[in-house]
Amino acid sequence: MAHSGDQYNAMEPTDEVWAKTLTVQFEQLLRTKRLNELSERSRPHSRATSPAPPVDASSSSSSIPSSTGIRRKPVPSSHHRSPIASPAASPAPQLPQRNASTASQPPSYSSLRNLPKVPAPPQDPSSLKFRNLLLSLSLTPLKYENPGLLDEALLVIPLDRIYSEAEEESQVLQASAESMGDGRRAEWGYQDCVIRALLRWFKGSFFTWINNPPCPSCFMPTISAGMTPPTQDEAARGAARVELYRCSVDECAAFERFPRYSDVWALLQTRRGRCGEWANCFSMLCRAVGGRVRWVWNSEDHVWTEVYSEQQKRWIHVDACEGAWDNPRLYAEGWNKKIAYCIAFSIDGATDVTRRYVRNTSKHGLDRTKAPEEVVIWITDEIRRMRRENMPKEERRRLVMEDAREEEELRGYVAQAIALEVTHLLPGGSGTGTGSGNVVMAGSMSDGSGGAEKLPGRQSGTAEWVQARGEAGSDHHHYHDQSSREGH
């Protein structure tokens, strides 16, 4: 699992070390339990009790004829691969005797739910619809590779200012790391500092948040008048829908159209919108200054950006609307938002990154009902194959290694969250010794988001709009950040 910096290894609190030790023990327990299950299912039964030939669990559950008549080989998915302990780890318990009628019945769901997920193509209408949606969304980051668009973007970015701020911050971080005297690296590299400077400029000076656009005639506030069809020009620039607003002054009664553009060329001109426009335009600008970019789609109506940090060898959460950097717990634990899917798209493929943003699925997760998990894995694997099929072998190998590191990181969030929950069940246990039941150690150990800090509710948008979306957070605290230049 990728760590946010060596500073966590220098001085770890005793409770944190204890929780990490408990995590390792818990993972070993899962491995042992998994081995026992596999051993039980693969052991042949007595001829006296079962005339059926011995069949192991993998062949009985995973080698199912497909629509083409080919039997699938049970290969564990990279997203849900379960580690197997050595045979000497623990003796397998004796299987109970079964009669012939029981032996001929298929295994129950409860006996199979812990098996590794085997990717399966979508078959039912809901899964096919979800596949079409993800394939459509996966085209978004491909637009950022247009050379003409990137050149146009560089013309609007104050590069001298951005690079100067990045150089200054990079030197400060490097000096701070060297002052520790233990050989540690700076927390963020120069390219990370470039993106951080770009984020500050984008939110503070370039893009404007729009709630209700002002009246074009008298510049007074407007009132929503519903939706209206896009004009031919608006549709050509990616506006699938247009919001219509009427001036609140009766004597004026002018109307203002608010096209929701998805075309980044148009956004460079309008420089306004809500989270969809903010994430789309900011992601493209990150690509223009040389960053590796992901556009992250959330099924609960939000989008944001991820950029790859070469310094930390992991993907970093960035939300331009909120001015948030490396704070993936913001939505679930700050906004108090329940989440089902978070899928990240890039020119290299697609990845289900829900585990990065939802650490406690029982508290902040929603049921994932759009498709079975095996189908979700199949779809993301399909998008990866499409994006990488023409890449050089070395590039594909590098991406596979990167995928493996990220999978280890995402698994670590799950294991650490479980370990923290276990510590809460112990007498006097609080996870990190702070006495707060809202601490998420997984965040503080891996993503730099801080475990004990109080995360805020949503800051972008009016208080009424945020409350209506249920994103104000548990304490319903909301303030208007003037740096976002919200148009209300």
Side-chain angles (χ1 to χ4, degrees), residues 309-358:
S309 170
E310 291 293 345
Q311 184 80 352
Q312 297 202 15
K313 302 297 181 185
R314 63 182 177 90
W315 288 94
I316 307 298
H317 157 257
V318 188
D319 191 322
C321 304
E322 304 295 292
W325 170 270
D326 196 24
N327 196 1
R329 296 165 40 243
L330 174 66
Y331 311 117
E333 299 169 40
W335 297 10
N336 203 27
K337 187 180 183 75
K338 293 186 180 296
I339 295 173
Y341 297 93
C342 297
I343 311 294
F345 300 97
S346 72
I347 60 171
D348 301 323
T351 304
D352 185 350
V353 294
T354 309
R355 287 171 289 175
R356 178 173 291 128
Y357 298 94
V358 182

Coordinates of all heavy atoms in Angstrom, one line a residue, residues 309-358:
S309 N 0.6 11.3 -8.4 CA 1.8 11.9 -7.8 C 3.0 10.9 -8.0 O 2.9 9.8 -7.4 CB 1.6 12.1 -6.3 OG 2.8 12.4 -5.6
E310 N 3.9 11.3 -8.7 CA 5.1 10.5 -8.9 C 5.9 10.5 -7.6 O 6.7 9.5 -7.4 CB 6.0 11.1 -10.0 CG 5.4 10.9 -11.4 CD 5.3 9.4 -11.9 OE1 6.0 8.6 -11.2 OE2 4.6 9.2 -12.9
Q311 N 5.8 11.5 -6.8 CA 6.5 11.5 -5.5 C 6.0 10.5 -4.6 O 6.8 9.8 -3.9 CB 6.3 12.9 -4.9 CG 7.1 13.1 -3.6 CD 8.6 13.4 -3.8 OE1 9.1 13.4 -5.0 NE2 9.3 13.8 -2.8
Q312 N 4.7 10.3 -4.5 CA 4.1 9.3 -3.6 C 3.6 8.0 -4.3 O 3.2 7.1 -3.6 CB 2.9 9.9 -2.8 CG 3.4 11.1 -2.0 CD 2.4 11.4 -0.9 OE1 1.5 10.6 -0.5 NE2 2.5 12.6 -0.2
K313 N 3.7 8.0 -5.6 CA 3.4 6.8 -6.3 C 1.9 6.4 -6.1 O 1.6 5.2 -5.8 CB 4.3 5.6 -6.0 CG 5.8 5.9 -6.3 CD 6.0 6.1 -7.8 CE 7.5 6.4 -8.1 NZ 7.7 6.8 -9.5
R314 N 1.0 7.3 -6.1 CA -0.4 7.0 -5.9 C -1.2 8.1 -6.5 O -0.7 9.2 -6.8 CB -0.7 6.8 -4.4 CG -0.5 8.0 -3.5 CD -0.8 7.7 -2.1 NE -0.6 8.9 -1.2 CZ -1.5 9.8 -0.9 NH1 -2.7 9.7 -1.4 NH2 -1.2 10.8 -0.1
W315 N -2.5 7.8 -6.6 CA -3.5 8.8 -7.2 C -4.0 9.7 -6.0 O -4.3 9.2 -5.0 CB -4.6 8.1 -7.9 CG -4.2 7.5 -9.2 CD1 -3.8 6.2 -9.4 CD2 -4.2 8.2 -10.4 NE1 -3.5 6.0 -10.7 CE2 -3.7 7.2 -11.4 CE3 -4.4 9.5 -10.9 CZ2 -3.6 7.5 -12.7 CZ3 -4.3 9.8 -12.2 CH2 -3.8 8.8 -13.1
I316 N -4.0 11.0 -6.3 CA -4.4 12.0 -5.3 C -5.7 12.6 -5.6 O -6.0 13.0 -6.8 CB -3.3 13.2 -5.2 CG1 -1.9 12.6 -5.1 CG2 -3.7 14.1 -4.1 CD1 -1.7 11.8 -3.8
H317 N -6.6 12.7 -4.6 CA -7.9 13.3 -4.8 C -7.8 14.8 -4.8 O -7.1 15.4 -4.0 CB -8.8 12.8 -3.6 CG -9.9 13.8 -3.3 ND1 -9.9 14.7 -2.3 CD2 -11.1 13.9 -3.9 CE1 -11.1 15.4 -2.3 NE2 -11.8 14.9 -3.3
V318 N -8.5 15.4 -5.8 CA -8.5 16.9 -6.0 C -9.9 17.3 -6.3 O -10.5 16.8 -7.3 CB -7.5 17.4 -7.0 CG1 -7.5 18.9 -7.0 CG2 -6.1 16.8 -6.9
D319 N -10.5 18.2 -5.5 CA -11.9 18.7 -5.8 C -11.7 20.2 -6.0 O -11.5 20.9 -5.1 CB -12.8 18.3 -4.7 CG -14.3 18.6 -5.1 OD1 -14.5 19.6 -5.8 OD2 -15.2 17.8 -4.7
A320 N -11.8 20.7 -7.3 CA -11.7 22.1 -7.6 C -12.8 22.9 -6.9 O -12.5 24.1 -6.5 CB -11.6 22.3 -9.1
C321 N -14.0 22.4 -6.9 CA -15.1 23.2 -6.3 C -14.8 23.5 -4.8 O -15.1 24.6 -4.4 CB -16.4 22.4 -6.3 SG -16.9 21.8 -7.9
E322 N -14.3 22.6 -4.1 CA -14.0 22.7 -2.7 C -12.6 23.2 -2.3 O -12.3 23.4 -1.2 CB -14.3 21.4 -1.9 CG -15.7 20.8 -2.2 CD -16.8 21.7 -1.6 OE1 -16.9 21.8 -0.3 OE2 -17.5 22.3 -2.4
G323 N -11.8 23.2 -3.3 CA -10.4 23.5 -3.1 C -9.7 22.5 -2.3 O -8.8 22.7 -1.5
A324 N -10.2 21.2 -2.4 CA -9.7 20.1 -1.6 C -8.6 19.4 -2.3 O -8.6 19.1 -3.5 CB -10.9 19.1 -1.3
W325 N -7.6 19.0 -1.5 CA -6.4 18.3 -2.0 C -6.1 17.1 -1.1 O -6.0 17.3 0.1 CB -5.2 19.2 -2.0 CG -3.9 18.5 -2.3 CD1 -3.0 18.0 -1.4 CD2 -3.3 18.3 -3.6 NE1 -1.9 17.4 -2.0 CE2 -2.0 17.6 -3.4 CE3 -3.6 18.6 -4.9 CZ2 -1.2 17.2 -4.4 CZ3 -2.8 18.2 -5.9 CH2 -1.6 17.5 -5.7
D326 N -6.1 15.9 -1.7 CA -5.8 14.7 -0.9 C -6.6 14.5 0.3 O -6.1 14.3 1.4 CB -4.3 14.7 -0.6 CG -3.8 13.3 -0.2 OD1 -4.4 12.3 -0.6 OD2 -2.8 13.2 0.6
N327 N -7.9 14.6 0.1 CA -8.9 14.5 1.2 C -10.1 13.6 0.8 O -11.2 14.1 0.7 CB -9.4 15.9 1.7 CG -10.0 15.8 3.1 OD1 -10.1 14.8 3.7 ND2 -10.5 16.9 3.5
P328 N -9.8 12.4 0.5 CA -10.9 11.5 -0.1 C -12.0 11.2 0.9 O -13.1 10.8 0.5 CB -10.2 10.2 -0.5 CG -8.9 10.2 0.4 CD -8.5 11.6 0.6
R329 N -11.8 11.4 2.2 CA -12.8 11.1 3.2 C -13.8 12.3 3.3 O -14.8 12.2 4.0 CB -12.2 10.9 4.5 CG -11.3 9.6 4.6 CD -10.4 9.6 5.9 NE -11.1 10.1 7.0 CZ -10.8 11.2 7.7 NH1 -9.7 11.9 7.3 NH2 -11.4 11.5 8.8
L330 N -13.6 13.3 2.5 CA -14.4 14.5 2.6 C -15.9 14.3 2.4 O -16.8 14.7 3.2 CB -13.9 15.6 1.6 CG -14.8 16.8 1.5 CD1 -14.7 17.7 2.8 CD2 -14.3 17.7 0.3
Y331 N -16.2 13.5 1.4 CA -17.7 13.3 1.0 C -18.4 12.5 2.0 O -19.5 12.9 2.4 CB -17.7 12.7 -0.4 CG -16.9 13.4 -1.4 CD1 -15.8 12.8 -2.0 CD2 -17.1 14.8 -1.7 CE1 -15.0 13.4 -2.9 CE2 -16.3 15.4 -2.6 CZ -15.2 14.8 -3.2 OH -14.4 15.4 -4.1
A332 N -17.9 11.3 2.4 CA -18.6 10.4 3.3 C -18.6 10.9 4.7 O -19.6 10.9 5.4 CB -17.9 9.0 3.2
E333 N -17.5 11.4 5.2 CA -17.4 11.8 6.6 C -17.5 13.3 6.8 O -17.8 13.7 8.0 CB -16.0 11.3 7.1 CG -15.9 9.8 7.0 CD -14.5 9.3 7.3 OE1 -13.8 9.9 8.2 OE2 -14.0 8.4 6.6
G334 N -17.3 14.1 5.8 CA -17.5 15.6 6.0 C -18.9 16.0 5.5 O -19.7 16.5 6.3
W335 N -19.3 15.6 4.3 CA -20.6 15.9 3.8 C -21.7 15.0 4.3 O -22.9 15.3 4.2 CB -20.6 15.8 2.3 CG -19.7 16.8 1.5 CD1 -18.8 17.6 2.1 CD2 -19.7 17.0 0.1 NE1 -18.2 18.3 1.1 CE2 -18.7 18.0 -0.1 CE3 -20.4 16.5 -1.0 CZ2 -18.4 18.4 -1.4 CZ3 -20.1 16.9 -2.2 CH2 -19.1 17.9 -2.4
N336 N -21.3 13.9 4.9 CA -22.2 12.9 5.4 C -23.0 12.3 4.3 O -24.2 12.0 4.3 CB -23.2 13.5 6.5 CG -23.8 12.4 7.4 OD1 -23.1 11.3 7.6 ND2 -24.9 12.6 7.9
K337 N -22.3 12.1 3.2 CA -22.9 11.6 1.9 C -22.8 10.1 1.8 O -21.7 9.5 2.1 CB -22.2 12.2 0.7 CG -22.8 12.0 -0.6 CD -21.9 12.7 -1.7 CE -22.5 12.5 -3.1 NZ -23.6 13.4 -3.3
K338 N -23.9 9.4 1.5 CA -23.8 7.9 1.3 C -23.5 7.7 -0.2 O -24.1 8.3 -1.1 CB -25.2 7.3 1.7 CG -25.4 7.4 3.2 CD -26.7 6.6 3.6 CE -26.9 6.7 5.1 NZ -25.9 6.0 5.9
I339 N -22.6 6.7 -0.4 CA -22.0 6.5 -1.7 C -22.1 5.1 -2.1 O -21.9 4.2 -1.3 CB -20.6 7.0 -1.7 CG1 -20.5 8.5 -1.5 CG2 -19.9 6.6 -3.0 CD1 -19.1 9.0 -1.3
A340 N -22.5 4.8 -3.4 CA -22.5 3.5 -4.0 C -21.3 3.2 -4.9 O -20.6 2.3 -4.7 CB -23.8 3.2 -4.7
Y341 N -21.1 4.1 -5.9 CA -20.1 3.9 -6.9 C -19.2 5.2 -7.0 O -19.8 6.3 -7.1 CB -20.7 3.6 -8.2 CG -21.5 2.3 -8.3 CD1 -22.8 2.3 -8.1 CD2 -20.8 1.1 -8.6 CE1 -23.6 1.1 -8.2 CE2 -21.6 -0.1 -8.6 CZ -22.9 -0.1 -8.4 OH -23.6 -1.2 -8.5
C342 N -17.9 5.0 -7.1 CA -17.0 6.0 -7.5 C -16.1 5.4 -8.6 O -15.2 4.5 -8.2 CB -16.1 6.6 -6.4 SG -17.1 7.4 -5.1
I343 N -16.2 5.7 -9.8 CA -15.4 5.1 -10.9 C -14.5 6.2 -11.5 O -15.0 7.3 -11.9 CB -16.3 4.6 -12.0 CG1 -17.4 3.7 -11.4 CG2 -15.5 3.8 -13.0 CD1 -16.9 2.4 -10.7
A344 N -13.2 5.9 -11.6 CA -12.2 6.9 -12.1 C -11.9 6.5 -13.6 O -11.6 5.3 -13.8 CB -11.0 6.9 -11.3
F345 N -12.0 7.5 -14.5 CA -11.7 7.2 -15.9 C -10.5 8.0 -16.3 O -10.3 9.2 -15.9 CB -12.9 7.7 -16.7 CG -14.1 6.9 -16.4 CD1 -15.1 7.5 -15.6 CD2 -14.4 5.7 -17.0 CE1 -16.3 6.8 -15.3 CE2 -15.5 5.0 -16.7 CZ -16.5 5.5 -15.9
S346 N -9.6 7.4 -17.1 CA -8.4 8.1 -17.6 C -8.2 7.6 -19.0 O -8.9 6.7 -19.5 CB -7.2 7.9 -16.7 OG -6.8 6.6 -16.9
I347 N -7.1 8.1 -19.7 CA -6.8 7.6 -21.0 C -6.2 6.2 -20.9 O -6.1 5.5 -21.9 CB -5.7 8.5 -21.7 CG1 -4.5 8.6 -20.9 CG2 -6.3 9.8 -22.0 CD1 -3.3 9.3 -21.6
D348 N -5.9 5.7 -19.7 CA -5.4 4.4 -19.5 C -6.4 3.3 -19.1 O -6.1 2.1 -19.0 CB -4.3 4.4 -18.4 CG -3.2 5.3 -18.7 OD1 -2.8 5.4 -19.9 OD2 -2.7 6.0 -17.8
G349 N -7.7 3.8 -18.9 CA -8.7 2.8 -18.5 C -9.7 3.3 -17.5 O -9.9 4.5 -17.4
A350 N -10.2 2.4 -16.7 CA -11.2 2.7 -15.7 C -10.9 1.9 -14.4 O -10.4 0.8 -14.5 CB -12.6 2.5 -16.1
T351 N -11.1 2.5 -13.3 CA -10.9 1.8 -12.0 C -12.0 2.1 -11.0 O -12.4 3.3 -10.9 CB -9.5 2.3 -11.4 OG1 -8.5 2.0 -12.3 CG2 -9.3 1.5 -10.1
D352 N -12.5 1.1 -10.3 CA -13.5 1.3 -9.3 C -12.7 1.8 -8.0 O -12.1 0.9 -7.4 CB -14.3 0.0 -9.0 CG -15.4 0.2 -8.0 OD1 -15.5 1.3 -7.4 OD2 -16.2 -0.7 -7.8
V353 N -12.8 3.0 -7.7 CA -12.1 3.6 -6.5 C -13.0 3.9 -5.3 O -12.6 4.7 -4.5 CB -11.3 4.9 -6.9 CG1 -10.2 4.5 -8.0 CG2 -12.3 5.9 -7.5
T354 N -14.1 3.2 -5.3 CA -15.1 3.5 -4.2 C -14.4 3.3 -2.8 O -14.7 4.0 -1.9 CB -16.3 2.6 -4.3 OG1 -16.8 2.7 -5.7 CG2 -17.4 3.0 -3.3
R355 N -13.6 2.3 -2.7 CA -13.0 2.0 -1.4 C -12.1 3.2 -0.9 O -11.8 3.3 0.3 CB -12.1 0.7 -1.4 CG -13.0 -0.6 -1.5 CD -12.1 -1.8 -1.8 NE -11.6 -1.7 -3.2 CZ -10.8 -2.6 -3.7 NH1 -10.3 -3.6 -2.9 NH2 -10.4 -2.5 -5.0
R356 N -11.6 4.0 -1.8 CA -10.8 5.1 -1.4 C -11.7 6.2 -0.7 O -11.2 6.9 0.2 CB -10.1 5.8 -2.6 CG -9.3 7.0 -2.3 CD -8.5 7.5 -3.5 NE -7.4 6.5 -3.8 CZ -7.2 6.0 -5.0 NH1 -8.0 6.4 -6.0 NH2 -6.2 5.2 -5.1
Y357 N -12.9 6.3 -1.1 CA -13.8 7.4 -0.6 C -14.8 6.9 0.4 O -15.4 7.7 1.1 CB -14.5 8.0 -1.8 CG -13.5 8.6 -2.8 CD1 -13.0 7.9 -3.9 CD2 -13.0 9.9 -2.6 CE1 -12.1 8.5 -4.7 CE2 -12.1 10.5 -3.4 CZ -11.6 9.7 -4.5 OH -10.7 10.3 -5.3
V358 N -15.0 5.6 0.5 CA -16.0 5.1 1.5 C -15.2 4.1 2.4 O -14.9 2.9 2.0 CB -17.2 4.4 0.9 CG1 -18.1 3.9 1.9 CG2 -17.9 5.3 -0.1

